[in-house]
Amino acid sequence: MADYTVLIVGDADRWWTSMSLAERKDGYAQYERFGEALAAGGHRIVGGAELTRSSQSRSIPAGGGPVTEGPYAETAEQVGGYYQIETDDLDGLLECCQIIAETGDGVEVRPNVDPADRPS
């Protein structure tokens, strides 16, 4: 089986700032539906998490330097959460990810590097 990371990308802070409680509940129901669709399709969730508001993040610039609070100022979209998925069916996984996209969040699916492919 191959391992993939599903990144939830967009205005993650909207869940905390501009969505009503009813909208948030509906959104979480979609994520529950996503989990059910994954299981039904034979995909296995092996990890993941919802991330807190971007204001709670800390950033370190490329090359090192001082730690700053919050995301980079020029960041329009941010990762709001992720799933680690194990599957042999990438097309099926991508179809399940349409459920997340229906909430208004973007989705990026990337294969994880197999440790065997790293130089020794």
Side-chain angles (χ1 to χ4, degrees):
M1 290 202 144
D3 293 321
Y4 295 89
T5 298
V6 175
L7 299 170
I8 317 309
V9 181
D11 179 9
D13 287 348
R14 74 185 170 91
W15 286 75
W16 309 106
T17 60
S18 63
M19 291 175 72
S20 69
L21 181 58
E23 289 171 323
R24 287 181 63 203
K25 285 182 179 180
D26 289 345
Y28 283 120
Q30 287 292 91
Y31 276 89
E32 188 172 319
R33 190 174 139 230
F34 172 66
E36 292 167 356
L38 288 172
H43 315 286
R44 193 166 77 93
I45 298 173
V46 295
E50 177 181 8
L51 303 178
T52 60
R53 296 175 188 232
S54 63
S55 63
Q56 295 178 325
S57 69
R58 302 297 177 263
S59 299
I60 300 170
V67 176
T68 59
E69 293 184 5
Y72 292 111
E74 67 273 7
T75 303
E77 293 186 332
Q78 300 155 10
V79 175
Y82 68 98
Y83 289 87
Q84 295 292 127
I85 307 292
E86 188 177 82
T87 187
D88 283 327
D89 181 10
L90 176 58
D91 289 335
L93 171 60
L94 294 172
E95 185 62 32
C96 290
C97 289
Q98 293 290 337
I99 295 168
I100 294 174
E102 290 172 8
T103 69
D105 292 321
V107 180
E108 181 178 336
V109 178
R110 295 176 63 180
N112 296 346
V113 173
D114 185 327
D117 293 336
R118 294 183 184 139
S120 24

